[in-house]
Amino acid sequence: MRSLGKQTVRTHYQHIVAGVHDPEHDHTHETRQTVYERPDGTFQINYMSGKRFVRATNDGSFECVQLVQSVPSTSGSTITSVIAGAQSLAVNRLNAVIEFESGDRWIEIEDDVTARLAAGLTQTAVGHFYHEEERLEGRHPRRWFVLVGPSEDLPVVGKVALFVLPPHETSVDPEVVDCHITGYRNGNPYPEFAAEIEALAAATDLPITHNYMGDPVVAPPAPGHTPKM
């Protein structure tokens, strides 16, 4: 196979409820991954996803589709409200690294259970990548965090997810960036949460650099926004 180097790969998650596609909950996860061209002209990615076929798009990137099967609720409550309630209870049991007056707080991801919770709250693949780190490294050299708090619609959501490699740690995979930050559903967390990210860096003394999905950004705190702890 021929390596095409780092390319933009978009994974389109399609939610299937009771056998019917529910586009309301669909989302797309975009990453930079190594793409390989197979002898038959097809393409695949191996990094962080096992062997998965992707297809080239007109804009020079690659994409694939992953189906997410959901079970509808049979009670009076919707499955969304049931999940939200369970997530809120789970978050309340976790210790906060920093807590702000707004109700937002940084939680450190220290096990697979918390990683899966963070993935559900942020609607990102943070749980998958946390699991893959241990598979590839045999441990967790990076430190992982998620900023959680209330939103207009839900009692708790994941607003920012990030990992950072401490100065004294090394990674067996040089292709993984030292710091990676993303927002809810892989949106850009800047400038809205720049101050919270800076507060985490100051509290932990970790080299958390301003970036969006590994790409550096210049992001001072939003005007008038200084989170109170």
Side-chain angles (χ1 to χ4, degrees), residues 108-112 114-115 130 140 144:
E108 184 161 6
I109 299 171
E110 299 180 307
D111 53 42
D112 286 334
T114 311
Y130 182 84
H140 288 292
W144 301 65

Side-chain angles (χ1 to χ4, degrees), residues 1 3-4 8 14 67 76 109 112 119 168 191 205:
M1 290 189 296
S3 172
L4 303 182
T8 298
Q14 295 185 355
L67 301 182
I109 299 171
D112 286 334
H168 62 279
D205 199 28

Side-chain angles (χ1 to χ4, degrees), residues 127-146:
H128 171 73
F129 290 120
Y130 182 84
H131 173 78
E132 286 298 295
E133 179 187 54
E134 184 170 18
R135 184 180 69 84
L136 293 170
E137 303 272 359
R139 62 192 186 95
H140 288 292
R142 299 165 187 81
R143 291 181 65 180
W144 301 65
F145 300 90
V146 59

Side-chain angles (χ1 to χ4, degrees), residues 38-91:
R38 295 163 53 90
D40 62 359
T42 59
F43 305 92
Q44 76 174 45
I45 52 176
N46 295 327
Y47 171 65
M48 289 292 193
S49 299
K51 294 181 179 180
R52 178 176 297 175
F53 287 97
V54 295
R55 68 180 184 87
T57 62
N58 292 333
D59 63 359
S61 60
F62 296 82
E63 66 179 8
C64 60
V65 174
Q66 181 169 328
L67 301 182
V68 180
Q69 300 286 343
S70 301
V71 180
S73 172
T74 56
S75 66
S77 301
T78 65
I79 189 65
T80 300
S81 65
V82 170
I83 293 173
Q87 289 174 332
S88 183
L89 289 173
V91 166

